[in-house]
Amino acid sequence: MTTSTPTVVLVHGAFADAASWSGVIAELQSRGIAVVAPPNPLRGLASDAAYIASVAAQIDGPVILVGHSYGGALITVAGTTENVVGLVYIAAYVLEEGESLGELQGRFPDSPLVSNLKQATYPVEGADPAVEVTITPEAFPDVFAADVPAPVTKILAVAQRPLAAGAFAETATAAAWKTKPSWALVAGADHAINPEVERFGAKRAGATVVEIDGASHAVAVSQPKEVADLILDAVRATS
C-alpha cells in the first residue's frame, strides 16, 4: 500500500551517526510521520549517494530526503531518485552538478573545522590504505556542538564516524534541487561549515530558508523541534 504522506529519510553527515537524529525522530514520530534514518557509509560521495538513493527507491510511496552537513551533498545527488519529492538541508552543503565539497568551501573563509581535523588510515581491499578524518576530541565541542551540553559532547567526540578524505574532492553527478523543491536550515553559529557556505548553497538552490542565529553545527541535537518543524513544512507542501 502506498501513502500520499511522504516518508522522511534522515541522512546524517560526517563525524556523527544516525543517533544524532534521535530528537528529530521523536518529534516526527509524535506527529505520525514515517521516518527512516539509515547509516551513511561515509566512504565517498558517489558510493554514499548511491546507497542513499537505493534506500529511498525501496520505500513505497513518496520520500523526502533530509541531509545534515555532508549528508546534504548526498541528497543533492540521490534526490534524483524518482519517488523523492523534496529535499531538506540542515546545516548542509548544497552542491551544484560538477562541484565538489572542496570547491564550494574554497570560495569562502575556512571554518575552525579545517585546522582541527585528525587523519588516520583504513584498509582498502586490493589497494593502498586510504585516509579518513575525524575532528580532534579536544576541539570537537566548539567545532561541532557548541550549544550542546558538555557531558553530551564528550560522548559524541569519542563516538565520531570518520569521513573518507577522498570525499572532499569527488564531484556531484547531479543537482536534484533543480527539479525538486527544497528547504534549508542555516545554523548561524556553525563552526564546522561556514554559515556563508550554507546560505550561498541554499540561495542558489532557491530553497525556502530558515536561519537559527545561535545554532551550532549539531542543530539537530540541540534544537530538534525547530529542525522537525522545517521538515514538517516540507511534508505538508509535498503531501
Side-chain angles (χ1 to χ4, degrees), residues 4-5 16-17 46 80 86 113 128-129 131 145 158 161 167 171 178 190 194 201-202 204 216:
S4 61
T5 302
D17 61 22
T80 57
L113 171 78
D128 291 335
V131 176
V158 298
R161 292 211 25 228
T171 56
K178 291 182 173 175
D190 198 329
N194 183 333
R204 179 171 63 180
S216 77

Side-chain angles (χ1 to χ4, degrees), residues 14-208:
F15 323 125
D17 61 22
S20 60
W21 292 112
S22 297
V24 176
I25 292 168
E27 289 282 345
L28 293 172
Q29 287 180 337
S30 74
R31 324 266 186 106
I33 304 297
V35 186
V36 178
N40 178 351
L42 302 177
R43 296 291 76 153
L45 184 53
S47 61
D48 293 345
Y51 177 71
I52 297 304
S54 163
V55 169
Q58 292 175 72
I59 293 170
D60 281 341
V63 165
I64 285 180
L65 289 179
V66 181
H68 174 245
S69 189
Y70 166 69
L74 303 187
I75 71 168
T76 296
V77 177
T80 57
T81 307
E82 198 177 338
N83 63 328
V84 173
V85 294
L87 309 166
V88 183
Y89 294 93
I90 305 298
Y93 293 107
V94 188
L95 295 182
E96 168 64 282
E97 189 174 344
E99 185 176 62
S100 70
L101 296 172
E103 277 178 282
L104 176 56
Q105 279 194 154
R107 297 191 199 126
F108 299 89
D110 281 348
S111 71
L113 171 78
V114 179
S115 55
N116 287 291
L117 290 175
K118 181 174 140 196
Q119 292 194 351
T121 60
Y122 64 95
V124 178
E125 199 175 336
D128 291 335
V131 176
E132 62 182 15
V133 291
T134 51
I135 303 170
T136 59
E138 58 277 10
F140 185 91
D142 177 64
V143 168
F144 199 87
D147 58 351
V148 174
V152 177
T153 61
K154 282 184 178 169
I155 295 167
L156 297 177
V158 298
Q160 288 182 66
R161 292 211 25 228
L163 175 66
F168 289 102
E170 280 190 66
T171 56
T173 55
W177 46 260
K178 291 182 173 175
T179 56
K180 314 270 171 106
S182 60
W183 289 258
L185 187 152
V186 173
D190 198 329
H191 294 162
I193 300 177
N194 183 333
E196 287 297 333
V197 174
E198 298 170 21
R199 286 185 199 108
F200 171 81
K203 185 177 179 190
R204 179 171 63 180
T208 300

